[in-house]
């Protein structure tokens, strides 16, 4: 079946602009995750949605970052007033969720964000 | 909080040679352990995973890994490397309990394969 998809694949923006990154999880997966991959910091957890529970936002680096998940499926990560240090690859993953017992996250191809 | 160390930033091997990539983790209980591979410009592909039971786990593409609790390690091995294995490899630990869902990754090991 189809894997996790992300759009756009590349995004170039100017400092101070807002950006939205989209993630379509694998059908039937109740859990959705966002990670950031940058040269200096490696792979970092950002946020985690599990079903209808309140999301775990503990990895969001600042209040400029937010994410929502509509209808338990598609998710959008929004970065407001982008800064150059936001330049990174943003990876989305989905899984069956903790109730499955042995949860495994499957990753999308990522969105490469460049802030000029 | 959990952490993962991959001591080797870059490894070079000849095609056909054996491979071992090291991973050490820090976690207060038995963790969930994963190895992912990332080719240039691609997302992460799961190679294998350990949750419990048999400490030697088999994965895709001929890879295997062994969980050693006494050494807090989860090293990845392959008996004979192919040129197509050149990529970056990430070890990750997933916590149980309230931190469930957050994978903590190592810094990655870049594998170069010489013909």
């Amino acid at each position: 079946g189809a894997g996790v998809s992300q759009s756009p694949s590349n995004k170039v923006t100017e400092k101070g602009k807002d950006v939205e990154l989209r993630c379509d999880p694998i059908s039937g997966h109740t859990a959705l995750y966002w990670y950031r991959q940058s040269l200096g910091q490696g792979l970092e957890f950002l946020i985690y949605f599990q079903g209808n529970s309140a999301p775990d936002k503990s990895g969001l680096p600042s209040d400029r970052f937010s994410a929502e998940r509509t209808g338990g499926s598609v998710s959008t990560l929004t970065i407001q007033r982008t800064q150059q240090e936001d330049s990174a690859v943003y990876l989305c993953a989905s899984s069956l969720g903790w109730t499955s017992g042995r949860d495994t996250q499957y990753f999308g191809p990522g969105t490469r964000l460049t802030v000029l | 909080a959990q952490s993962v160390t991959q001591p080797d930033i870059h490894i070079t091997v000849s095609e056909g040679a054996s491979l071992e990539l090291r991973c050490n983790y820090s976690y207060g209980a038995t963790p969930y352990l994963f190895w992912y591979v990332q080719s240039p410009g691609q997302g992460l592909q799961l190679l294998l995973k350990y949750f419990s039971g048999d400490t030697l786990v088999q994965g895709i593409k001929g890879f295997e890994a062994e969980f050693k609790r006494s050494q807090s390690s989860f090293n990845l091995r392959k008996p004979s490397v192919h040129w197509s294995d050149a990529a970056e490899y990430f070890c990750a630990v997933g916590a149980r309990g309230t931190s469930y869902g957050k994978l903590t990754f190592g810094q990655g090991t870049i594998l170069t394969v010489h013909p």
Side-chain angles (χ1 to χ4, degrees), chain B residues 25-41:
Chain B
Y25 69 89
S26 173
Y27 183 63
T30 302
Y32 300 127
L33 293 162
F34 307 84
W35 275 99
Y36 286 88
V37 61
Q38 186 177 38
S39 297

Side-chain angles (χ1 to χ4, degrees), chain B:
Chain B
Q2 64 264 32
S3 65
V4 179
T5 301
Q6 293 180 247
D8 305 305
I9 296 173
H10 195 169
I11 283 183
T12 300
V13 300
S14 298
E15 191 169 17
S18 63
L19 172 70
E20 183 170 32
L21 302 182
R22 295 182 292 165
C23 172
N24 292 96
Y25 69 89
S26 173
Y27 183 63
T30 302
Y32 300 127
L33 293 162
F34 307 84
W35 275 99
Y36 286 88
V37 61
Q38 186 177 38
S39 297
Q42 303 296 313
L44 297 171
Q45 181 183 21
L46 179 69
L47 284 176
L48 48 77
K49 57 193 175 186
Y50 172 79
F51 289 101
S52 64
D54 192 346
T55 57
L56 184 64
V57 295
Q58 302 296 320
I60 62 171
K61 304 184 179 185
F63 285 93
E64 66 177 27
E66 186 171 11
F67 170 56
K68 293 186 177 180
R69 184 191 306 274
S70 62
Q71 299 177 18
S72 298
S73 69
F74 189 57
N75 294 348
L76 181 72
R77 300 193 295 252
K78 186 169 185 178
S80 178
V81 171
H82 188 263
W83 64 266
S84 61
D85 293 325
E88 189 163 15
Y89 292 78
F90 293 92
C91 180
V93 59
R96 301 173 188 257
T98 57
S99 296
Y100 188 89
K102 304 177 190 178
L103 287 182
T104 300
F105 288 87
Q107 289 298 308
T109 298
I110 298 171
L111 175 66
T112 299
V113 181
H114 282 320

Side-chain angles (χ1 to χ4, degrees), chain A residues 32-36 44-50 52-69 75-78, chain B residues 98-102:
Chain A
L32 187 146
Y33 315 78
W34 285 97
Y35 293 85
R36 179 170 70 174
E44 305 172 280
F45 165 82
L46 295 177
I47 187 169
Y48 159 48
F49 297 88
Q50 168 62 63
N52 296 321
S53 301
D56 181 336
K57 305 179 183 179
S58 60
L60 294 178
S62 77
D63 58 8
R64 296 186 295 106
F65 287 72
S66 63
E68 63 177 19
R69 189 176 185 193
S75 177
T76 302
L77 177 69
T78 301
Chain B
T98 57
S99 296
Y100 188 89
K102 304 177 190 178

